[in-house]
Amino acid sequence: MASIGNPALLFRSFAPRLSKELFTCRQCLVRTQNYVTRSTIRKPSVARPFSQATRVNSTSLNARARYAFVRYASDSAAATAEAGASETKSKFPEVSDKKVAYWLLGSAASVFGIVVFGGLTRLTESGLSITEWRPVTGSLPPMNAEDWESEFAKYRASPEFHILNPTMTLSEFKSIYYMEWIHRLWGRFVGLSFVLPAIYFVAKKQVSKPMALRLGGITGLIGFQGFIGWWMVKSGLKDDLFAPGSHPRVSQYRLTAHLGAAFACYTAMLWNGLAILRSHRLMSDPDAGIKLLDSLRDPKLKIFRRSVAGLALLVFVTAMSGALVAGLDAGLIYNEFPFMGNGLAPPMSELFDDRYSRHEDRSDRWWRNMLENPSLVQLDHRILAMTTFTSIMALWAYTRRSPTMKQFLPAAAKKGVHGVVAFAFVQVGLGLTTLLYLVPTPLASAHQAGSLFLLTWVFVLGSRVWHPSRTAKLLQMAAKARGHTLSNATRHIPPKF
């Protein structure tokens, strides 16, 4: 009984003994589970049975304390993860979700289709068949004979019917009406299929903040495009907007604006979709992504990057000059190549005719002839097309012959150049056959689609050599975070026993 005579010693013997494992992190406890088990099991003393019982109780209490600590750590980690998840939901991500990229590319494909179908609508002289703009009620076609007669009566009051189609029947009118109706319905689909998902992605915080602003800009551009479309059609419904007795057509200026807005919508969707996919591809391996972007920042590639940007602008301007050719039916004259009449170009008196000037001092003669004279408009389009083709071939030769390009240009960019060259040859072939065969509808539509294909591939090439500064910063942050994680993991590796 002497061993338990002191009350303080007796109390200490019953108190739980907290080992150093109690203050070890959860991961270390899991990794060193066998060691902890061995260290907590103590051999009973044969000489002191009461001390043996005391140590058994102490071991049981230590195990409970460790269990309580592990549970506390688990709950704390869960709470931290839940707080981080709620904070993530309340903020925009750094990189937009891949679903947003696929949706943008799908929307771009829809815009591509409506551009081609719009060209067919113009080529079939169907664009002026619907004489009213009804964004909501116009979604449905005439449903009975009375409605068809009402629509046909409105068309019979238009200049196009009086000058071009005075003998048109109701069945013939229905064919051109449905072409324009499908074109307008497709436009409504493009708007709804973009606006509604954009609202959803922004509300669910699946896009980055800059991307949310870009989606708002594209939405506004789509609405503006619908307004330009009606503004263009309206120009062909009034006699005072074209020369009396001439072929009724929409204004070539408004047609070019309408096509240009469609191209802008398409390229914005395409570029942002490609940018998101590229960011995900780079972020999947930050070290390799940083290495690739550092190589693209080399000053020796600056000339190539600027050349691609200039080439995209040149292709766009050439396509817009083609819209002027279509608006003036300038492809129906000088159906030969490379000559235009007796020479490579018509006489100067024909190219700069004073009849196109509207000022007494003839100060507007040069620019009005460039935009309104069919002979000069076709010559301008030829010059721009040949300049574009020559520039593409020069860029290809630069990538093939320059030692710097062979060394620093990525393999994906070299393949992109080959794609641009291939589409350039296809587009030139379509343009020449369209001209030589007096603008048949299938070839003319394919030529318009070819211009958009060529512009698409130039943008694909640009996305492969463009240096995204924001993604580069995110890659630097990801690489640093990865380095800290590896360092902490190495620091907490338990010792071997």
Side-chain angles (χ1 to χ4, degrees), residues 39-70:
S39 64
T40 55
I41 298 178
R42 304 184 184 277
K43 295 181 180 180
S45 175
V46 178
R48 301 177 65 181
F50 184 80
S51 176
Q52 172 186 353
T54 302
R55 289 179 182 177
V56 170
N57 291 336
S58 174
T59 303
S60 176
L61 289 173
N62 282 338
R64 281 186 236 166
R66 284 193 301 273
Y67 172 75
F69 173 76
V70 170

Side-chain angles (χ1 to χ4, degrees), residues 230-246:
W230 169 245
W231 182 57
M232 176 192 67
V233 171
K234 190 177 179 180
S235 66
L237 299 176
K238 294 183 178 180
D239 293 324
D240 57 346
L241 294 179
F242 49 86
S246 64

Side-chain angles (χ1 to χ4, degrees), residues 28 85 112 137 167-168 197 234 247 316:
C28 295
F112 187 103
T137 59
T167 60
M168 176 176 283
K234 190 177 179 180
H247 187 295
F316 179 81

Side-chain angles (χ1 to χ4, degrees), residues 425-443:
F425 273 102
V426 171
Q427 179 66 353
V428 168
L430 288 172
L432 291 177
T433 53
T434 301
L435 179 68
L436 296 176
Y437 286 96
L438 295 176
V439 196
T441 299
L443 286 176

Side-chain angles (χ1 to χ4, degrees), residues 85 126 166 170 260 275 384 390-391 483 490:
S126 304
L170 180 60
L384 285 170
T390 304
S391 300
T490 304

Side-chain angles (χ1 to χ4, degrees), residues 82-103:
E82 184 177 357
S86 61
E87 184 179 359
T88 302
K89 289 182 180 179
S90 64
K91 292 184 178 179
F92 289 97
E94 296 293 343
V95 180
S96 301
D97 195 279
K98 276 188 176 181
K99 295 192 295 292
V100 180
Y102 297 136
W103 161 69

Side-chain angles (χ1 to χ4, degrees), residues 465-482:
V465 297
W466 166 61
H467 182 272
S469 57
R470 186 172 182 273
T471 303
K473 293 179 182 178
L474 294 177
L475 286 173
Q476 295 289 346
M477 295 170 59
K480 289 181 181 179
R482 184 180 180 183

Side-chain angles (χ1 to χ4, degrees), residues 231-461:
W231 182 57
M232 176 192 67
V233 171
K234 190 177 179 180
S235 66
L237 299 176
K238 294 183 178 180
D239 293 324
D240 57 346
L241 294 179
F242 49 86
S246 64
H247 187 295
R249 63 168 67 95
V250 298
S251 168
Q252 74 273 18
Y253 299 112
R254 301 185 188 186
L255 175 64
T256 304
H258 187 53
L259 184 64
F263 270 50
C265 285
Y266 172 78
T267 53
M269 295 173 183
L270 175 70
W271 182 262
N272 286 290
L274 293 175
I276 293 174
L277 292 179
R278 190 186 187 210
S279 296
H280 278 278
R281 187 166 56 253
L282 293 173
M283 295 291 290
S284 63
D285 189 350
D287 295 333
I290 292 174
K291 184 178 179 180
L292 175 61
L293 293 186
D294 287 342
S295 65
L296 292 179
R297 292 186 63 183
D298 194 296
K300 296 178 181 178
L301 292 178
K302 183 182 295 185
I303 296 177
F304 183 84
R305 289 197 303 270
R306 291 182 176 179
S307 299
V308 174
L311 184 61
L313 180 61
L314 187 57
V315 172
F316 179 81
V317 173
T318 305
M320 294 304 102
S321 71
L324 290 175
V325 172
L328 294 171
D329 289 330
L332 297 176
I333 59 175
Y334 293 114
N335 301 102
E336 52 190 346
F337 188 85
F339 298 101
M340 296 182 70
N342 296 325
L344 294 176
M348 290 297 295
S349 59
E350 181 181 347
L351 294 177
F352 291 94
D353 196 335
D354 292 339
R355 291 178 299 175
Y356 291 95
S357 177
R358 300 181 185 178
H359 295 168
E360 294 182 359
D361 58 354
R362 309 299 183 190
S363 59
D364 59 342
R365 183 173 71 101
W366 67 272
W367 69 264
R368 284 199 179 275
N369 276 275
M370 290 185 65
L371 300 177
E372 299 178 4
N373 186 341
S375 300
L376 185 55
V377 167
Q378 188 190 128
L379 178 62
D380 291 340
H381 185 61
R382 289 188 181 205
I383 294 173
L384 285 170
M386 289 186 291
T387 303
T388 302
F389 181 76
T390 304
S391 300
I392 291 173
M393 298 310 298
L395 184 66
W396 174 78
Y398 178 57
T399 58
R400 296 278 295 178
R401 301 296 182 184
S402 173
T404 303
M405 292 296 101
K406 291 181 180 180
Q407 180 180 358
F408 293 99
L409 193 64
K414 294 177 182 178
K415 294 180 181 178
V417 174
H418 294 158
V420 172
V421 171
F423 278 111
F425 273 102
V426 171
Q427 179 66 353
V428 168
L430 288 172
L432 291 177
T433 53
T434 301
L435 179 68
L436 296 176
Y437 286 96
L438 295 176
V439 196
T441 299
L443 286 176
S445 179
H447 184 53
Q448 183 177 12
S451 65
L452 205 50
F453 270 120
L454 180 58
L455 184 63
T456 299
W457 208 253
V458 173
F459 270 87
V460 170
L461 173 61

